[in-house]
Amino acid sequence: MPAPTDIAIVSGAGSAEGIGAATALALGRAGMRVIVTSTTDRIQERVAELRRAGVDARGVAADLTDPRGVEVVLDAARQAFGEPTVLVNNAGMTSVSTADSPAAIDDITLDQWAMSLDRNLTTALRMTRAVVPGMRAAGYGRVVNVASISGPVMAYTGDVAYHAAKAGMLGLTRGAAVDVAAAGITVNAVAPGWIATSSSSAHEIAMGAATPVGRSGTPTEVAAAVAFLASREASYITGQLLVVDGANSINEERGA
């Protein structure tokens, strides 16, 4: 018998040039039906693009920092396709509806800290908790968390809460992985480095050019890693961090 068609949720997919949209396209091309989310109605533009590419997609505007937003996404997925079998937690870092306010350890307020952790880490916890019961019942599931090399592997100045949140994403990945492994569910993380998106600054593009590969990565390259970990073939890989950074984090000769 052929394998059932997977139903995937990809959060944080509002940007046309972002990792979320590229991931939704990769999963759709792999035969999955896809629910994409963002905080605004621009998500329907991504749905239209996915459908033109032949992907069976639906879009939901929801704030995942609010538990009610999580319920809206899950209800939409179930009504459109059924119980989700794949979850990609990509929401975080930037939002068009709520501006981020990065700060260094000397200056950060507790409100800034709490907002960054909620957006970049707790949203993934909320979504994962919501889909795990259905995955347990099915005896199968894939959760892929989009972390970063910033926090789990490296750091730059001026954004201590983001680094803490993304390091926490790796801890969440590993803790959840061992909790659900016996149920046929895998939980992994992808750590992008300098990736060229519509929100990339000139400084970030310059940092990408300084990697051993000599350029920033693309959302499509990150999406390929996510799609592999979300596949049925990746059944014995769980609790892992897959770094996608053009060898930046292993380059010793930084003064060269």
Side-chain angles (χ1 to χ4, degrees), residues 59-164:
V60 185
D63 180 2
L64 302 184
T65 64
D66 185 336
R68 291 171 295 183
V70 175
E71 294 174 6
V72 167
V73 173
L74 265 292
D75 287 346
R78 288 165 178 153
Q79 290 176 19
F81 300 131
E83 199 69 36
T85 52
V86 173
L87 170 65
V88 179
N89 284 311
N90 180 62
M93 188 171 180
T94 59
S95 170
V96 297
S97 59
T98 307
D100 203 5
S101 54
I105 188 66
D106 306 272
D107 306 313
I108 191 167
T109 67
L110 290 180
D111 285 344
Q112 287 172 306
W113 173 267
M115 180 179 292
S116 186
L117 263 64
D118 197 17
R119 174 185 295 167
N120 293 294
L121 177 59
T122 308
T123 53
L125 171 67
R126 290 190 183 100
M127 287 298 297
T128 303
R129 285 198 313 177
V131 301
V132 160
M135 291 179 176
R136 281 191 183 276
Y140 175 83
R142 299 282 183 268
V143 178
V144 184
N145 295 320
V146 180
S148 173
I149 62 168
S150 304
V153 181
M154 304 174 73
Y156 54 83
T157 59
D159 201 351
V160 66
Y162 178 77
H163 290 87

Side-chain angles (χ1 to χ4, degrees), residues 20-244:
T23 296
L25 180 59
L27 298 182
R29 285 177 170 168
M32 299 186 192
R33 291 173 288 179
V34 182
I35 294 282
V36 288
T37 81
S38 74
T39 57
T40 69
D41 286 334
R42 68 174 177 164
I43 196 62
Q44 300 306 331
E45 298 171 11
R46 306 290 81 75
V47 170
E49 292 162 358
L50 289 166
R51 288 177 175 173
R52 286 195 293 271
V55 177
D56 193 356
R58 304 288 190 280
V60 185
D63 180 2
L64 302 184
T65 64
D66 185 336
R68 291 171 295 183
V70 175
E71 294 174 6
V72 167
V73 173
L74 265 292
D75 287 346
R78 288 165 178 153
Q79 290 176 19
F81 300 131
E83 199 69 36
T85 52
V86 173
L87 170 65
V88 179
N89 284 311
N90 180 62
M93 188 171 180
T94 59
S95 170
V96 297
S97 59
T98 307
D100 203 5
S101 54
I105 188 66
D106 306 272
D107 306 313
I108 191 167
T109 67
L110 290 180
D111 285 344
Q112 287 172 306
W113 173 267
M115 180 179 292
S116 186
L117 263 64
D118 197 17
R119 174 185 295 167
N120 293 294
L121 177 59
T122 308
T123 53
L125 171 67
R126 290 190 183 100
M127 287 298 297
T128 303
R129 285 198 313 177
V131 301
V132 160
M135 291 179 176
R136 281 191 183 276
Y140 175 83
R142 299 282 183 268
V143 178
V144 184
N145 295 320
V146 180
S148 173
I149 62 168
S150 304
V153 181
M154 304 174 73
Y156 54 83
T157 59
D159 201 351
V160 66
Y162 178 77
H163 290 87
K166 289 302 187 180
M169 187 77 93
L170 180 56
L172 171 63
T173 297
R174 289 176 172 162
V178 295
D179 282 344
V180 301
I185 306 167
T186 67
V187 187
N188 290 289
V190 169
W194 298 112
I195 306 299
T197 69
S198 58
S199 64
S200 295
S201 66
H203 171 73
E204 290 168 338
I205 296 298
M207 292 297 98
T211 66
V213 171
R215 62 171 175 83
S216 298
T218 68
T220 300
E221 289 170 322
V222 180
V226 175
F228 166 65
L229 293 172
S231 70
R232 291 186 174 255
E233 290 77 12
S235 52
Y236 205 58
I237 303 170
T238 194
Q240 302 305 307
L241 178 70
L242 179 53
V243 174
V244 185

